[in-house]
Amino acid sequence: MYKRILVATDGSKLSQKAVDHALSLADMTGAEVVALKVVPRYPQSYFEGGVALPASEVARVEKQWHDEAMATVTAIKSAGQKREVKVKPVTAKSDLVSEAIIGTAKRQKCDLIVMASHGRRGIKRLLLGSETQQVLTHSHVPVLVLR
């Protein structure tokens, strides 16, 4: 059925539900899991009065974010080992989370994307956006959404 499942996580309690489901599905189907956490770029301030940090400080912050992301996906790998599921931990650096998820799924030759959705509606969805909706709209790979 599935050979390679991408599970996208932000490290939240809700995304843990998607991780658990992806690992269970992989265990049942014999699939491999690609665990992905997208790391943002450090925002640059170009507005009057904004304080620009030195490049070394920006690099330090981005490295810290990357290390935290690696810890998150490495924990998923450990959880997979307990179930005898092969997990490949991956991070992607991008401000466009949905594009990073879709691009990683394509590069890693995944045949399913598993992710969580907060299920926001109305003005909250308009203001906060929906990465899950963007993945659903633009992905050529099937997407399983958990709430």
Side-chain angles (χ1 to χ4, degrees), residues 55-75:
S56 61
E57 183 64 14
V58 171
R60 185 193 67 75
V61 170
E62 286 185 340
K63 182 183 182 322
Q64 179 183 345
W65 290 347
H66 176 267
D67 292 347
E68 290 168 0
M70 278 306 296
T72 299
V73 293
T74 300

Side-chain angles (χ1 to χ4, degrees), residues 24-95:
S24 294
L25 190 57
D27 189 26
M28 288 188 302
T29 62
E32 178 182 338
V33 171
V34 175
L36 172 68
K37 183 161 187 340
V38 180
V39 182
R41 288 177 167 66
Y42 190 86
Q44 300 296 323
S45 177
Y46 298 106
F47 299 106
E48 185 176 330
V51 178
L53 291 177
S56 61
E57 183 64 14
V58 171
R60 185 193 67 75
V61 170
E62 286 185 340
K63 182 183 182 322
Q64 179 183 345
W65 290 347
H66 176 267
D67 292 347
E68 290 168 0
M70 278 306 296
T72 299
V73 293
T74 300
I76 296 170
K77 180 177 181 176
S78 297
Q81 287 173 336
K82 291 177 185 171
R83 298 181 184 203
E84 297 181 9
V85 172
K86 184 177 177 186
V87 177
K88 180 177 182 178
V90 176
T91 64
K93 188 177 188 179
S94 177
D95 293 326

